Amino acid sequence: MTNALLSRAMSGTVDPPLLPLPDRVVELLSELGSPPRLAAHLRAVHDVAHQLVGWVEQRYPVVVFDREAVLFGAATHDVGKTVHVSELSGPGAAHEEAGRTLLLGHGVSPELARFAATHASWARSRVGLEDLLVSLADKIWKNKRVPELEDLVVARLTEATGRAVWEEFIALDEVLARIGDMADERLAFQASFPIHA
């Protein structure tokens, strides 16, 4: 039953329709014996990241960023919760460094493993647009708005385009509101899977 739940959480047909996790991530989560709820969370955040990168590519063709890094980062950002399972239902940051270490130990490059450690520390230092998009996906999947994070994204987009800050703010606000509209469905999807299989 555990494998069936995990498989469904990662790539099964679900409501709301969510993109499946990448094969590399499915293999990793299966190998680690991921809790089904964690896999469901990673899938929801990955799906939202897809929407964000598609929007950036369409609206900002001059912005250079690593699309695949964002998608991988979103799909693995909380992988450390396979070790720190209590952080699936309560607060804690031990999963961040644990996740980076886990990914490195499974042959993931440092450039991709970093998202496990940076997804919650976007304000501590000047991080790349990729890191900001992973952090943003991890917030907006449940319609959590974080003005400081959104301001950093707006600043990066404004730098790249030369357009007015207010114009980029409105554009970002519109896409986040649209994505956020499905938060209840994504939260229900995640909650339909057990923490402990």
Side-chain angles (χ1 to χ4, degrees):
M1 183 64 149
T2 301
N3 289 342
L5 280 174
L6 181 58
S7 179
R8 183 171 167 269
M10 294 186 294
S11 56
T13 302
V14 294
D15 186 30
L18 298 171
L19 293 170
L21 286 169
D23 291 343
R24 182 178 183 193
V25 176
V26 167
E27 291 169 15
L28 177 66
L29 294 178
S30 297
E31 186 177 320
L32 293 172
S34 171
R37 183 166 299 171
L38 173 59
H41 169 68
L42 294 173
R43 184 174 180 183
V45 175
H46 174 259
D47 186 81
V48 166
H50 253 281
Q51 294 176 59
L52 287 173
V53 298
W55 174 77
V56 171
E57 289 171 336
Q58 181 180 11
R59 181 168 167 84
Y60 306 96
V62 298
V63 172
V64 177
F65 72 104
D66 188 338
R67 175 185 208 279
E68 294 308 313
V70 172
L71 297 177
F72 185 84
T76 60
H77 72 282
D78 275 347
V79 72
K81 291 182 181 181
T82 58
V83 176
H84 298 280
V85 178
S86 64
E87 293 183 17
L88 275 170
S89 58
H95 73 277
E96 294 163 14
E97 186 55 37
R100 189 182 75 79
T101 301
L102 258 176
L103 291 172
L104 291 171
H106 281 82
V108 174
S109 71
E111 296 79 29
L112 293 178
R114 78 178 194 264
F115 296 105
T118 65
H119 71 276
S121 61
W122 44 265
R124 291 186 196 154
S125 63
R126 184 157 170 87
V127 295
L129 179 60
E130 293 87 355
D131 302 89
L132 294 174
L133 291 173
V134 170
S135 297
L136 190 58
D138 189 35
K139 299 298 184 196
I140 202 61
W141 81 276
K142 59 184 176 184
N143 203 21
K144 182 174 182 183
R145 302 296 297 262
V146 182
E148 299 84 4
L149 174 57
E150 294 173 24
D151 289 346
L152 289 171
V153 174
V154 167
R156 295 294 171 87
L157 298 175
T158 301
E159 287 171 16
T161 65
R163 292 192 284 247
V165 171
W166 67 265
E167 186 177 349
E168 299 309 339
F169 172 81
I170 290 171
L172 181 65
D173 184 63
E174 287 175 356
V175 74
L176 295 182
R178 181 180 51 77
I179 292 171
D181 283 345
M182 293 295 294
D184 288 345
E185 290 84 350
R186 286 187 294 265
L187 284 162
F189 164 71
Q190 175 182 286
S192 72
F193 290 93
I195 293 175
H196 303 284

